[in-house]
């Protein structure tokens, strides 16, 4: 990233684990900059490299957020909200556009980091450990990062230390999953409950496709499955799953394998919890939520029959939120199941318990309130 300061051109290495592009226009800013001026510059696409007090930068970020929340909806969004012709898919895409604009505006406030990840600003905290967890050991290269992403890194560090209590893993204290930065946290427990209570077709072997934090592999092992092979493509998630399985004492029963979907061989039980919404992810963390063109879902269904033992079951854990948003139909899902040479043995449903399902102010409230998460039991036809 390049910028002009005191008549000279400077450059710094740009960091963004979320894949954001380096800003093209950068202006040096400090405590003299008002929130209104900062908001105007950020909306115009100018990034602000902060040289003032660190705590004032945090307050400025909060002020930018308040101005975004007070900003009237765009004309397109207002029209969509008022017209009966605006379908759920339109509302979803407008919502994502608004989220992207919000992220760009809040991401305009930048913090420079020293080569050891320290911050050379007044009242700056020591977040070197959190940065090393997200980016790896410091290599001595000074860099710059958006304050919003830096705060996300610190928040993930705190989640990693505290962990997420998973009732399906049994009693405390041996029931916590510790998500790493960039790996989706299993905060929605209802789908885990489905896996925890569904009768097992076998306790000999199970495949967990796309394990993420390793939570489903851990649930299966705790239920008595003697061997679980868990696959994952993302290196961050593999490291996260390995740490969690070791903390839970399950590393001897769960084998981790870097693979796109299936491991070699067949199993009497194959489990998959793919991303639930067929949309394009714009960051690494969103890959756990958005599955462009339902690639992972369709890949799992297409290959399942070839990886099931005779009489085996495939468990597909999937929300129907995409159906309520008009992004995928139930008929499409059933067609994909049939085309893959599969049949439905049964389905267990559960309503979500997360706060957004009851938040009437959420732009997608109608779809979230109608959402059902299901465990589809599939077998070769």
């Amino acid at each position: 990233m390049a910028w002009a300061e005191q008549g000279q051109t400077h450059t710094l290495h740009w960091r963004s684990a979320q894949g954001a592009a380096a800003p093209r226009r950068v202006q040096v800013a400090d405590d003299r900059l008002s929130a209104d001026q900062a908001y105007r510059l950020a909306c115009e696409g100018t990034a602000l490299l902060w040289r003032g007090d660190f705590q004032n930068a945090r307050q400025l970020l909060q002020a930018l957020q308040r101005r975004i929340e007070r900003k009237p909806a765009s004309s397109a969004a207002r029209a969509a909200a008022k017209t009966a012709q605006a379908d759920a898919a339109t509302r979803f895409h407008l919502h994502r556009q608004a989220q992207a604009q919000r992220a760009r505006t809040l991401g305009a406030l930048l913090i420079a980091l020293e080569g050891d990840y320290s911050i050379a600003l007044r009242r700056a905290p020591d977040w070197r450990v959190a940065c090393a967890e997200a980016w790896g050991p410091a290599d001595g290269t000074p860099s710059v990062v958006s304050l919003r992403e830096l705060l996300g890194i610190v928040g993930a560090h705190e989640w990693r230390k505290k962990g997420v209590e998973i009732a399906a893993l049994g009693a405390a204290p041996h029931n916590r999953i510790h998500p790493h930065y960039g790996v989706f946290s299993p905060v929605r427990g209802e789908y885990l409950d489905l896996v925890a209570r569904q009768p097992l077709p076998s306790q000999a072997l199970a495949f967990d496709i796309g394990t993420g934090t390793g939570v489903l592999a851990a649930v299966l092992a705790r239920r008595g499955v003697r061997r679980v092979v868990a696959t994952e493509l993302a290196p961050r998630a593999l490291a996260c799953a390995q740490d969690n399985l070791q903390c839970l004492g399950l590393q001897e029963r769960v084998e981790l394998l870097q693979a796109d979907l299936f491991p070699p061989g067949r199993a009497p039980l194959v489990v998959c919890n793919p991303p639930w919404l067929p949309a394009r992810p714009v960051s690494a963390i969103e890959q756990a939520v958005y599955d462009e063109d339902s690639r992972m879902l369709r890949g799992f269904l297409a290959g399942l029959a070839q990886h099931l033992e005779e009489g085996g079951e495939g468990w597909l854990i999937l929300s129907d939120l995409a159906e309520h948003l008009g992004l995928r139909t139930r008929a499409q899902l059933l067609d994909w199941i049939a085309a893959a040479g599969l049949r439905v043995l049964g389905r267990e449903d559960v309503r979500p318990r997360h706060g957004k399902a009851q938040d009437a102010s959420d732009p997608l409230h109608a779809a979230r309130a109608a959402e059902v998460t299901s465990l589809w039991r599939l077998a070769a036809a």
Side-chain angles (χ1 to χ4, degrees), residues 75-156:
S75 57
R78 288 198 301 271
K82 291 180 180 179
T83 180
Q85 284 74 32
D87 58 17
T90 300
R91 293 176 185 273
F92 170 74
H93 292 301
L94 288 171
H95 174 62
R96 290 207 76 199
Q97 289 175 12
Q99 285 183 315
Q101 178 58 46
R102 180 178 185 273
R104 284 192 294 269
T105 301
L106 294 178
L109 188 56
L110 311 182
I111 298 293
L113 303 176
E114 301 298 307
D116 62 352
Y117 297 142
S118 61
I119 304 169
L121 296 175
R122 296 187 305 275
R123 295 199 295 168
D126 184 354
W127 285 342
R128 288 176 293 177
V129 173
C131 290
E133 287 178 351
W135 298 320
D139 61 4
T141 304
S143 58
V144 65
V145 63
S146 85
L147 176 57
R148 182 172 186 259
E149 183 167 337
L150 185 58
L151 291 172
I153 286 171
V154 174

Side-chain angles (χ1 to χ4, degrees), residues 38-287:
Y39 181 64
R40 176 179 56 80
L41 289 167
C43 289
E44 292 172 351
T46 299
L48 305 170
L49 179 58
W50 191 254
R51 295 303 198 194
D53 180 89
F54 182 86
Q55 299 305 326
N56 288 347
R58 295 188 70 168
Q59 292 177 10
L60 178 59
L61 187 64
Q62 294 170 358
L64 292 177
Q65 184 169 334
R66 289 193 295 270
R67 280 158 177 76
I68 291 173
E69 292 169 353
R70 292 201 302 261
K71 182 181 178 182
S74 69
S75 57
R78 288 198 301 271
K82 291 180 180 179
T83 180
Q85 284 74 32
D87 58 17
T90 300
R91 293 176 185 273
F92 170 74
H93 292 301
L94 288 171
H95 174 62
R96 290 207 76 199
Q97 289 175 12
Q99 285 183 315
Q101 178 58 46
R102 180 178 185 273
R104 284 192 294 269
T105 301
L106 294 178
L109 188 56
L110 311 182
I111 298 293
L113 303 176
E114 301 298 307
D116 62 352
Y117 297 142
S118 61
I119 304 169
L121 296 175
R122 296 187 305 275
R123 295 199 295 168
D126 184 354
W127 285 342
R128 288 176 293 177
V129 173
C131 290
E133 287 178 351
W135 298 320
D139 61 4
T141 304
S143 58
V144 65
V145 63
S146 85
L147 176 57
R148 182 172 186 259
E149 183 167 337
L150 185 58
L151 291 172
I153 286 171
V154 174
H157 170 68
E158 294 302 320
W159 270 107
R160 181 170 175 173
K161 287 196 302 183
K162 179 182 177 182
V164 180
E165 188 171 335
I166 305 296
L169 288 175
H174 307 294
N175 65 348
R176 288 187 176 273
I177 290 290
H178 299 265
H180 291 194
Y181 179 75
V183 183
F184 196 74
S185 177
V187 292
R188 290 188 55 169
E190 66 268 12
Y191 77 92
L192 300 173
D193 294 340
L194 287 172
V195 174
R197 65 175 181 245
Q198 183 64 38
L200 293 166
S202 169
Q203 290 184 309
L205 172 65
F207 293 165
D208 175 22
I209 310 302
T211 194
T213 61
V215 63
L216 285 183
V219 169
L220 293 171
R222 281 278 170 88
R223 291 197 61 193
V225 177
R226 293 186 291 277
R227 179 170 175 253
V228 181
V229 180
T231 67
E232 178 57 61
L233 195 57
R236 281 184 185 273
L238 278 171
C240 177
Q242 183 176 36
D243 286 352
N244 281 314
L245 294 166
Q246 288 177 344
C247 289
L248 294 168
L250 298 172
Q251 68 273 21
E252 299 300 324
R253 296 172 62 183
V254 180
E255 176 188 353
L256 290 172
L257 181 66
Q258 186 170 24
D260 188 3
L261 296 176
F262 298 95
R266 298 174 180 262
L269 175 61
V270 182
V271 178
C272 183
N273 175 33
W276 291 346
L277 296 177
R280 181 184 177 186
V282 295
S283 66
I285 191 68
E286 283 196 351
Q287 292 175 4

Side-chain angles (χ1 to χ4, degrees), residues 92 95 99 188 277 290 321 324-325 351-352 354-359 362-372:
F92 170 74
H95 174 62
Q99 285 183 315
R188 290 188 55 169
L277 296 177
Y290 300 114
L321 182 61
H324 297 294
L325 291 172
R351 289 280 184 180
H354 60 87
K356 287 187 177 180
Q358 287 79 42
D359 183 5
D362 188 287
L364 307 179
H365 171 68
R368 295 192 195 278
E371 180 187 5
V372 171

Side-chain angles (χ1 to χ4, degrees), residues 14-23 149 282:
W14 169 251
R15 291 188 185 275
S16 176
Q18 298 177 358
E149 183 167 337
V282 295

